[in-house]
Amino acid sequence: STAVPKLIEALGDGNYSVSSSAAEALGQIGDSTAVSGLIEALSDRNDWVGSSAAEALGQIGDSTAVSGLIEALDARGVLVQWEIKQALKKIGTPEALNALKQNYD
C-alpha cells in the first residue's frame, strides 16, 4: 500500500493519538515492511503507542518482529507487556513461545 511509508513516518509524530492510530492502521494493512518502524514504536514513552505497536506486530505476524518484541518485554509497563505477550502468541515461533514460557516462570 502507498499509505505504509506515511504511516510509518506518523509513528514518530510526537502526538500519541496520531502515532497510536498509525500503528493500528499498519496492523490492519498487514504489510511486513512496517515491522522495523513498529519495533521502534514499542519504546515510545507513551504506553498507548507501545501497546498499539505491539498489537500491530501481532496482526502482521512476521517472525522478524520476535527479537524486538522480546527485547521490549522487560522494558515496558503492564499494558504494553500484555500486548507484547499477545503478539508473541500470535506469531507463535519456537523463539516467541519460549520467551513467553520463560516470562511466566
Side-chain angles (χ1 to χ4, degrees):
S1 169
T2 56
V4 170
K6 293 277 187 211
L7 289 167
I8 292 169
E9 190 178 312
L11 290 171
D13 182 80
N15 178 322
Y16 80 90
S17 181
V18 171
S19 299
S20 184
S21 296
E24 289 171 18
L26 287 165
Q28 290 169 2
I29 292 168
D31 188 328
S32 62
T33 61
V35 168
S36 62
L38 289 164
I39 293 289
E40 278 185 44
L42 287 174
S43 62
D44 191 279
R45 70 185 186 282
N46 185 287
D47 280 352
W48 290 112
V49 176
S51 66
S52 295
E55 183 178 8
L57 288 164
Q59 289 174 310
I60 293 169
D62 192 309
S63 64
T64 62
V66 171
S67 61
L69 285 162
I70 292 170
E71 229 176 83
L73 193 54
D74 294 330
R76 297 309 313 236
V78 176
L79 174 71
V80 182
Q81 283 180 352
W82 190 86
E83 285 295 353
I84 289 172
K85 289 174 184 176
Q86 299 310 305
L88 288 168
K89 281 183 203 172
K90 285 180 183 174
I91 294 170
T93 63
E95 181 187 10
L97 299 176
N98 188 45
L100 287 171
K101 185 177 171 221
Q102 288 178 351
N103 197 267
Y104 285 117
D105 288 346

